[in-house]
Amino acid sequence: MITLNSRSRYVWAYLMITPTLLGTLIFWGWPVLQSILLGFQRSENFGLVNHWVGLDNYVKLFNDGEFWQNLRNTLTYVVLFVPVTLVLSTLFAVLLNTKIKGLSVYRVIFFLPQVTMPAAAAMVWVVLFAKDFGLINHILGTKVAWLSNPHYAMLVLVIVGVWGAIGLNMLLILAGLQGIPKSLYEAAEIDGAKRFNKFRYITVPMLTPTLFFTSIILLIGATQIFDSIYLIIGKTNVALPAVRSLVYAYYQNTFVYFNPNYGAAIINILLFINIILTGIQFALQKKWVIYD
Amino acid sequence: MQTASARKINSIIHLILIISAIAMLVPFIWMVLTSLKTTTEATQIPIRYFPDTPSLRGYTEAIRQSAFPHYYMNTILTAIMKTVFPVIFSSMAAYAFARLRFPGSSFLFALIISVMMVPNPVFYTPQYMMMSDLGLVNTVTALWITSLISPFATFLLRQFFLGISKELEEASVLDGCNPFQIYWHIMLPLVKSALVAIVIIQLQWAWNELQWPLIINSSPEKMTLSSGIATLVSMFGTDYPVLMAGAFMAVVPMIVLFFIFQKQFIEGIAFSAHKG
């Protein structure tokens, strides 16, 4: 063991964690407390003077039809985006886990959207989904107003989201696949197991820890959807109410309508939802994740 | 017979992968093609795939009529600050948490890690008020000052330090090194590949981030490429070649970086996930 006397070791340890600890407390810890407080207050001049109003902001929020609509939109996005991304990422990871030519080329291509700036990607998606001169309508032979039709706007956001997320998640799942011991498959082959059965009884169970990890990251990310709504749908679009998320509503109320308290109430609800979701996932983890 | 069916399966796999890969690439191809078209060509019906005579007007207009050079400088500076400091601070903290047992270490580590679960927008209003109190709204400083640390990098690097054999540092303790010297001279070189991966991940996050730059800086000279691109829409409306040229110029540096470091990039992420 380390022979340095323990007191001087402690001093070094505390010194080395100080920047990270201080930064965390000042820029994240304190803001979380502030955000919770703001939810119970009414501010003048954007937080300069604060009055305690108890649950007023939340009462107003829960009586606001728009809030429930935004909550529904956020959850709809999560429910569509997370499973589709997981399934497609798993599919591509499984396909790329075979001894196939050009593996690294595919890996790079699928990962490319991950390094692409969302703001820049959004510009091109607007052009691709345009009603009259858009490539998508041209290929499909349709004349759909994808971006301004409330029935399709959410679909566009899910497609863009999945496009951006497949690469990273495929990679995480691929890493998980490559961690499965080959001996398991060899043993199954001796027993005469079919391709599908090997997948069903070896690959899937051994992959559950990776899928769990990936789904948590995806879920937390998905509840925060903002960029693509702001950039692709836009504030004057008639389809906005059909896709407006909690984070978008937070942004709008806080920095467009200058009501930081109402904004804080909205974003605190999301914080609460994320804590619950993570809690549920960790509780369910025991039921379906298999650790060896 | 088996090889025939194996070959059949192989070609089906290739077909699926090729079609999907093309679908993934379409936005990039369309971005470049549109950026080289004239305004009429970009919105012509029936659709035109290629510009008649490729023109760079989109690029010159985007640079001339917007604060593009400012966006670039601000983004580069922000990305450097949001990479160098978090990597230094995180690697130090990660080493301490992985190797030096001290009172409160598991509590303090949990405290730092728990931040990863909080949706980022929760921080934004209070951080905005903080910046406003300090008179930093609409400054380049405000773009990076709130992100000088990274719980994510701390978590990841701790995993790497945990995987390194203890014998190396024991020898240096006998030589009279203090923990900082061990960290600096012995441990850091051992996790070089992880550091490269984290540098690239941090750069990419900083380069692409939209919401905070949008909130904190509204004057064009203080915007990043991300928030700047978002405002190009209001300036150029439906002049799609200019918008695409701006978008292309914004993504090129990260894509070039990705192609140069794609091995470290991909393996860094895959490896750290595997350890986590």
Side-chain angles (χ1 to χ4, degrees):
Chain A
M1 273 317 289
I2 295 177
T3 51
L4 203 66
N5 78 64
S6 58
R7 197 188 308 153
S8 120
R9 209 170 69 223
Y10 293 164
V11 173
W12 278 110
Y14 288 124
L15 279 178
M16 289 175 87
I17 66 164
T18 295
T20 298
L21 189 61
L22 271 184
T24 305
L25 294 177
I26 295 171
F27 289 115
W28 290 323
W30 177 242
V32 172
L33 296 179
Q34 278 283 298
S35 180
I36 292 168
L37 282 179
L38 279 170
F40 296 117
Q41 292 170 333
R42 185 169 53 78
S43 308
E44 286 161 32
N45 291 327
F46 210 84
L48 219 55
V49 188
N50 297 309
H51 312 277
W52 192 261
V53 293
L55 288 171
D56 279 12
N57 292 315
Y58 291 96
V59 171
K60 198 175 141 209
L61 196 64
F62 291 147
N63 285 314
D64 184 353
E66 197 179 292
F67 163 72
W68 294 106
Q69 171 77 47
N70 298 339
L71 179 62
R72 217 167 24 240
N73 292 341
T74 307
L75 296 179
T76 307
Y77 179 77
V78 170
V79 166
L80 293 173
F81 166 81
V82 176
V84 173
T85 307
L86 266 186
V87 167
L88 287 179
S89 307
T90 311
L91 173 74
F92 290 134
V94 169
L95 293 184
L96 287 182
N97 198 34
T98 49
K99 283 196 201 86
I100 203 153
K101 263 193 217 140
L103 190 136
S104 64
V105 178
Y106 287 123
R107 229 172 43 164
V108 167
I109 292 176
F110 286 128
F111 199 76
L112 205 51
Q114 171 71 26
V115 293
T116 307
M117 180 185 288
M123 303 282 113
V124 71
W125 283 112
V126 169
V127 176
L128 288 170
F129 276 111
K131 179 166 173 275
D132 297 317
F133 56 89
L135 187 65
I136 309 244
N137 271 340
H138 178 75
I139 290 171
L140 297 176
T142 49
K143 272 258 169 261
V144 177
W146 296 99
L147 302 176
S148 54
N149 185 324
H151 297 294
Y152 294 115
M154 181 62 84
L155 186 66
V156 171
L157 296 179
V158 172
I159 291 171
V160 173
V162 171
W163 172 82
I166 279 183
L168 176 64
N169 292 286
M170 176 202 77
L171 208 61
L172 299 176
I173 296 167
L174 190 58
L177 283 173
Q178 287 174 351
I180 301 175
K182 298 257 183 311
S183 57
L184 284 177
Y185 292 106
E186 284 156 13
E189 265 160 38
I190 291 165
D191 293 344
K194 294 237 165 56
R195 217 182 163 101
F196 176 77
N197 280 344
K198 278 193 282 182
F199 182 75
R200 169 72 187 80
Y201 295 106
I202 300 174
T203 311
V204 174
M206 292 297 287
L207 202 56
T208 48
T210 309
L211 291 176
F212 172 69
F213 174 78
T214 322
S215 62
I216 285 194
I217 294 185
L218 271 175
L219 196 73
I220 292 180
T223 59
Q224 297 180 47
I225 177 174
F226 168 81
D227 292 12
S228 53
I229 303 174
Y230 182 86
L231 296 157
I232 296 177
I233 304 301
K235 51 179 180 282
T236 54
N237 192 321
V238 287
L240 180 62
V243 295
R244 183 170 37 214
S245 67
L246 291 176
V247 173
Y248 190 96
Y250 152 79
Y251 172 83
Q252 217 175 16
N253 278 287
T254 309
F255 297 104
V256 180
Y257 308 144
F258 299 111
N259 188 347
N261 306 102
Y262 204 58
I266 296 172
I267 207 65
N268 290 342
I269 297 282
L270 185 67
L271 173 63
F272 183 70
I273 291 174
N274 271 15
I275 292 171
I276 301 278
L277 281 177
T278 318
I280 291 174
Q281 277 187 313
F282 274 100
L284 286 178
Q285 181 188 14
K286 293 193 191 84
K287 296 242 194 273
W288 68 280
V289 179
I290 298 145
Y291 291 105
D292 46 9
Chain B
M1 209 184 88
Q2 228 198 341
T3 47
S5 86
R7 213 177 297 139
K8 202 170 141 197
I9 289 172
N10 235 331
S11 44
I12 295 173
I13 291 177
H14 264 298
L15 193 70
I16 299 173
L17 285 174
I18 288 171
I19 293 172
S20 318
I22 292 172
M24 298 298 274
L25 285 178
V26 162
F28 298 101
I29 298 166
W30 209 246
M31 187 186 276
V32 176
L33 286 178
T34 309
S35 74
L36 299 170
K37 289 175 186 172
T38 63
T39 314
T40 5
E41 278 174 333
T43 54
Q44 209 166 309
I45 308 162
I47 208 165
R48 289 185 78 98
Y49 291 99
F50 298 98
D52 250 350
T53 42
S55 113
L56 291 176
R57 186 199 65 102
Y59 293 86
T60 51
E61 285 298 287
I63 293 171
R64 204 168 56 83
Q65 292 198 29
S66 68
F68 227 88
H70 287 283
Y71 302 161
Y72 252 109
M73 290 314 295
N74 298 340
T75 310
I76 291 170
L77 180 71
T78 304
I80 291 174
M81 299 303 263
K82 285 169 94 164
T83 302
V84 172
F85 285 100
V87 170
I88 294 173
F89 293 157
S90 294
S91 62
M92 256 166 31
Y95 171 73
F97 282 124
R99 286 308 171 91
L100 307 168
R101 276 200 214 103
F102 53 94
S105 69
S106 48
F107 168 76
L108 292 174
F109 183 67
L111 187 77
I112 290 168
I113 292 313
S114 63
V115 168
M116 285 201 290
M117 298 231 253
V118 180
N120 277 334
V122 169
F123 309 127
Y124 291 155
T125 311
Q127 285 180 347
Y128 180 90
M129 290 169 173
M130 225 184 261
M131 293 301 112
S132 172
D133 287 341
L134 295 169
L136 289 175
V137 173
N138 264 321
T139 65
V140 179
T141 311
L143 291 169
W144 50 261
I145 195 86
T146 56
S147 322
L148 291 182
I149 39 155
S150 163
F152 172 76
T154 310
F155 173 77
L156 230 60
L157 285 167
R158 179 176 163 273
Q159 299 287 109
F160 280 95
F161 284 127
L162 283 174
I164 293 171
S165 133
K166 281 211 163 70
E167 284 152 27
L168 277 163
E169 48 185 336
E170 276 164 23
S172 21
V173 172
L174 294 176
D175 289 345
C177 290
N178 68 39
F180 186 83
Q181 288 168 322
I182 297 173
Y183 149 80
W184 189 255
H185 294 297
I186 297 168
M187 296 300 264
L188 265 193
L190 290 175
V191 293
K192 217 186 274 168
S193 62
L195 288 177
V196 171
I198 287 168
V199 163
I200 302 171
I201 295 170
Q202 288 289 126
L203 269 181
Q204 183 225 333
W205 276 356
W207 193 272
N208 292 340
E209 192 189 10
L210 172 71
Q211 209 176 353
W212 177 246
L214 207 61
I215 287 168
I216 199 67
N217 289 353
S218 56
S219 79
E221 287 76 27
K222 308 295 179 199
M223 282 183 181
T224 61
L225 281 166
S226 208
S227 56
I229 289 282
T231 59
L232 283 187
V233 186
S234 52
M235 291 172 69
F236 292 98
T238 54
D239 195 340
Y240 293 112
V242 178
L243 295 180
M244 290 303 106
F248 184 68
M249 286 189 283
V251 300
V252 156
M254 273 303 118
I255 289 182
V256 169
L257 209 65
F258 171 58
F259 275 109
I260 297 173
F261 291 105
Q262 53 110 345
K263 209 168 133 65
Q264 285 94 330
F265 212 133
I266 286 177
E267 277 164 15
I269 288 176
F271 182 59
S272 44
H274 196 54
K275 299 207 77 174

